[in-house]
Amino acid sequence: MTEITPNAQAQSTQNPPGADLIVINAKIFTNNRGQTEASALAVKGGRIYSVGPDADILSLKNSETKIIDARGRRLIPGIIDAHTHVLNESGYTYNIRWDGVPTLRRALSMLREQAERTPEGHWVKVIGGWSPYQFEENRFPTMDELHEAVHNRPLIVQYAYNRAFLNKQAMELLGVGTDRFPDLPGTEFEKDGQGHYTGVIYGYTFTFIAMETMVPQLSFDEEVSSLIHTVHALNRFGVTSIVDNGGRKGYPKPQATVDVLARDNRLNVRMPFVDIQLGDGSPINMVDAHIEAITKTAPIGPGQNLHPTLEHGHEYRGAGEVLQAEVHDHENFDRPAVIIDPDQMRRHVEENVTKLVRRRIPFRMHISYNENITPFLDALEKMNETTPLDGLRWSIEHAETITPENIDRVKRLGGGIALDAKMALHGDAFIKTHGREKALKTPRLRQLVDSEIPLAMTTDAFRAATFNPWVGVSWMVSGKSASGSEVLAKANRLSRIEALKLFTSGPTWFMNTESEMGMIAPGHLADFALLDRDYFTVPENQIKHVCSVLTVLDGRVVFGAQDYSTLTPRLPDILPAWSPVKYFGGYHHGAE
């Protein structure tokens, strides 16, 4: 027997009879109704093959078995984020992450520190993942504060896909107020009383995507480093699988960095993906471009795995979440709902979605507001009469204000709903725009769960919201936003088990892995996390602080902290050397 203690390194294994890995002395949430409780599990060949009491599981050891003592900690199935944008976050190591920072004072000091180390020719950037409502001060930074913090480098501080704050150098480089700045619908430049630009830009998603193309870009080696450290940040929260929901670089371009990680066995998360084809900014039929990419540019079919060894490592899962720019109803809670012309939505289904269904290509459709879900479903139901969905997996992404009637319609058509936890960060803004009464039932969590429709909660990180899933879990359970405001009615909240299921077993439908993921059960993939506190018993205000101390993917340790820190695989140095993530980390690590 090879025993792993907190100060011992994992050793290489062979494959004699018996377990490769055993975890004992754990409080296991199995998520398996057939065996609700256990204290130990055994892993063989990347899958769980036995779950039960310590004594029974220890009888499965051999001379090469690695044993981990959980020391009474809570063990859960690996977290699955069914809608996030990891491959879009190629600049992760270029950005200061304000995720989890508790005070604006600290956030501003991070800007000052980073401005001193950022080399000439580069920018100081904060791109998404934060909310003013998370700060003790409960407000945005002022332009005076930002100019004082960063005066020697161009600065952009972006809040979700809602607004950005630019200092003078950044405004000049981007051409604010000139024809060099992208002319996109919904873009507004704030002016002061004298008619001068203040540096605050309001807009929608495509405004900020365009701005991102105008700042210094990463080298390929830096993009690889960025992906490695992005995945490591996810592992810290117990995330073992994500569905990458597309980005500004359409398939197959982002796959080059994934290939490097797969080759070096560093892809420490299962990463199925769907594809968005935005093109170069010129008019484009995005569905036609997607079909061209998967049939001619780099042929691939639904379910095909590009990772040579990791099951579901990098599988193609279809098209979306943006299928046509003109019907994209941006979820900017600072502004009224974007309502799409119903005839335009109908034409979109007839001319674009039908192409995907005929080719049996799964699809995901971003629709935030019920006013747009209704005409989409009207058209989809009509299409289904002549071009049947017939079991093809499709989903509506976000669906913040979907009604019970439309929940039923989605279910009848065989679709799923991938929610997101943006109300946890931006619920206070939603209240200001749409009213408290509407916020308390947005989304309709209780009715969605009770409907038994395929359902997942997601982060929609890294720009629209934080990549920490426990922030969303906290909101679902407590009903409180990052500011502590009530944003979910008591009757609309979930139990702790229900909330966790939306990040474990619920997402498996979206990955086509219901029979092998989301539970601690024999035959399931060996993806699990040991938590730093017991999620089921800690006070509600601690749920958002839950982290993993040991994350296991495919039966191997991919992250360790505290007692298990020596088990973490060694990471390469962060590139570039001046990276904010190197100095601040990817998520706030300070005292709670």
Side-chain angles (χ1 to χ4, degrees):
M1 177 182 76
T2 302
E3 183 170 352
I4 292 183
T5 64
N7 297 314
Q9 294 286 345
Q11 299 178 15
S12 62
T13 61
Q14 300 173 357
N15 288 305
D20 298 333
L21 171 70
I22 285 175
V23 178
I24 59 170
N25 194 21
K27 290 186 287 189
I28 300 178
F29 170 67
T30 65
N31 208 12
N32 175 13
R33 287 184 294 179
Q35 185 183 26
T36 57
E37 296 181 2
S39 62
L41 61 83
V43 173
K44 181 75 171 178
R47 290 185 180 262
I48 296 166
Y49 87 98
S50 192
V51 181
D54 288 3
D56 290 356
I57 300 303
L58 282 170
S59 70
L60 303 174
K61 69 180 184 293
N62 62 35
S63 60
E64 300 298 326
T65 301
K66 299 176 178 64
I67 297 177
I68 292 178
D69 186 345
R71 300 183 177 179
R73 292 184 174 91
R74 175 66 65 182
L75 187 149
I76 64 169
I79 296 289
I80 303 172
D81 189 345
H83 178 136
T84 188
H85 297 275
V86 167
L87 296 181
N88 193 52
E89 200 52 39
S90 60
Y92 175 78
T93 56
Y94 269 32
N95 295 330
I96 299 171
R97 300 301 308 183
W98 277 358
D99 302 60
V101 175
T103 67
L104 180 57
R105 180 178 62 257
R106 175 56 185 152
L108 291 168
S109 71
M110 292 167 74
L111 294 182
R112 283 190 290 271
E113 291 174 37
Q114 187 58 37
E116 295 302 315
R117 68 172 67 97
T118 299
E120 188 173 353
H122 285 278
W123 291 48
V124 177
K125 298 195 302 175
V126 179
I127 307 292
W130 63 280
S131 162
Y133 309 106
Q134 79 192 39
F135 297 140
E136 182 182 289
E137 297 88 343
N138 199 28
R139 65 174 177 85
F140 287 104
T142 67
M143 287 308 307
D144 285 344
E145 288 171 328
L146 294 175
H147 281 299
E148 187 279 327
V150 181
H151 52 82
N152 63 329
R153 295 289 182 265
L155 167 71
I156 177 170
V157 174
Q158 181 178 316
Y159 168 53
Y161 284 114
N162 297 18
R163 71 180 75 176
F165 303 84
L166 309 177
N167 68 0
K168 292 177 182 177
Q169 294 96 318
M171 283 195 287
E172 291 174 3
L173 289 168
L174 292 178
V176 169
T178 74
D179 58 7
R180 288 192 291 118
F181 195 93
D183 182 18
L184 291 164
T187 305
E188 297 177 7
F189 302 100
E190 183 180 85
K191 294 182 179 180
D192 62 20
Q194 287 73 48
H196 302 129
Y197 294 115
T198 65
V200 182
I201 297 176
Y202 303 93
Y204 292 119
T205 309
F206 299 135
T207 299
F208 303 105
I209 290 175
M211 288 169 60
E212 185 64 17
T213 67
M214 301 170 71
V215 301
Q217 303 296 301
L218 284 73
S219 69
F220 181 75
D221 286 346
E222 287 172 340
E223 287 192 356
V224 170
S225 177
S226 183
L227 183 56
I228 289 170
H229 290 278
T230 304
V231 170
H232 182 70
L234 295 173
N235 294 154
R236 178 192 170 196
F237 293 111
V239 176
T240 54
S241 297
I242 64 103
V243 178
D244 189 88
N245 235 49
R248 60 188 176 95
K249 296 180 181 179
Y251 173 82
K253 292 178 183 176
Q255 278 57 50
T257 53
V258 182
D259 288 346
V260 173
L261 269 65
R263 179 198 68 198
D264 297 340
N265 199 30
R266 287 192 181 277
L267 189 62
N268 292 336
V269 68
R270 302 184 201 273
M271 192 190 296
F273 69 97
V274 295
D275 176 51
I276 300 174
Q277 293 285 334
L278 292 174
D280 60 4
S282 56
I284 183 177
N285 183 300
M286 297 169 69
V287 168
D288 287 346
H290 173 75
I291 292 170
E292 175 86 7
I294 66 165
T295 60
K296 296 180 180 179
T297 306
I300 192 171
Q304 185 172 336
N305 188 6
L306 296 176
H307 196 294
T309 57
L310 181 64
E311 293 184 72
H312 311 296
H314 198 48
E315 289 177 340
Y316 164 66
R317 283 293 168 202
E321 66 183 290
V322 183
L323 298 175
Q324 181 184 349
E326 292 76 12
V327 297
H328 187 70
D329 68 340
H330 313 267
E331 71 286 12
N332 181 336
F333 295 158
D334 291 328
R335 289 178 166 184
V338 175
I339 306 302
I340 306 300
D341 174 50
D343 287 338
Q344 192 172 36
M345 186 68 81
R346 174 184 54 78
R347 290 192 299 272
H348 165 61
V349 173
E350 292 174 352
E351 298 171 6
N352 297 317
V353 175
T354 302
K355 295 174 186 175
L356 298 171
V357 177
R358 284 175 180 158
R359 290 169 174 79
R360 308 306 293 167
I361 298 173
F363 65 92
R364 293 174 164 220
M365 181 72 184
H366 171 127
I367 318 181
S368 295
Y369 299 106
N370 193 69
E371 293 89 339
N372 302 319
I373 293 173
T374 296
F376 174 75
L377 294 177
D378 290 343
L380 203 64
E381 286 170 342
K382 186 175 180 181
M383 180 214 70
N384 190 50
E385 294 173 2
T386 56
T387 308
L389 289 158
D390 194 25
L392 182 72
R393 297 207 177 188
W394 67 276
S395 60
I396 293 179
E397 310 293 294
H398 309 308
E400 272 89 358
T401 63
I402 190 169
T403 60
E405 294 77 15
N406 280 340
I407 295 169
D408 290 340
R409 295 173 74 191
V410 173
K411 186 176 180 180
R412 285 196 298 270
L413 288 166
I417 295 176
L419 302 168
D420 67 70
K422 283 196 285 292
M423 288 291 284
L425 285 184
H426 313 310
D428 298 74
F430 189 98
I431 289 173
K432 292 176 184 177
T433 305
H434 301 282
R436 179 179 173 80
E437 182 179 353
K438 190 167 187 176
L440 293 175
K441 57 184 179 184
T442 300
R444 298 175 184 268
L445 286 179
R446 173 48 48 209
Q447 289 168 311
L448 282 158
V449 169
D450 290 347
S451 75
E452 299 184 345
I453 193 172
L455 183 69
M457 184 56 67
T458 76
T459 66
D460 195 21
F462 280 62
R463 301 184 172 213
T466 181
F467 61 91
N468 177 1
W470 296 100
V471 170
V473 173
S474 174
W475 157 71
M476 287 188 280
V477 171
S478 70
K480 294 180 179 179
S481 71
S483 71
S485 301
E486 182 186 35
V487 292
L488 273 180
K490 191 169 184 179
N492 197 25
R493 300 171 198 170
L494 302 183
S495 71
R496 298 194 190 203
I497 288 178
E498 288 171 328
L500 187 57
K501 283 185 174 183
L502 292 188
F503 269 117
T504 52
S505 52
T508 62
W509 184 88
F510 298 82
M511 295 179 65
N512 291 41
T513 58
E514 299 97 311
S515 65
E516 54 185 342
M517 295 178 69
M519 290 195 295
I520 304 297
H524 279 58
L525 293 167
D527 300 350
F528 52 87
L530 203 59
L531 305 181
D532 68 344
R533 65 201 76 191
D534 191 342
Y535 159 67
F536 292 108
T537 61
V538 295
E540 284 184 353
N541 64 4
Q542 285 194 32
I543 293 175
K544 64 183 177 182
H545 299 300
V546 170
C547 291
S548 174
V549 294
L550 185 79
T551 303
V552 173
L553 170 75
D554 207 42
R556 59 188 174 87
V557 176
V558 294
F559 176 85
Q562 297 182 18
D563 298 346
Y564 310 96
S565 59
T566 58
L567 305 182
T568 297
R570 184 182 177 279
L571 295 176
D573 291 340
I574 295 178
L575 299 177
W578 53 267
S579 167
V581 174
K582 179 177 180 179
Y583 295 92
F584 302 125
Y587 198 94
H588 178 67
H589 288 266
E592 297 166 10

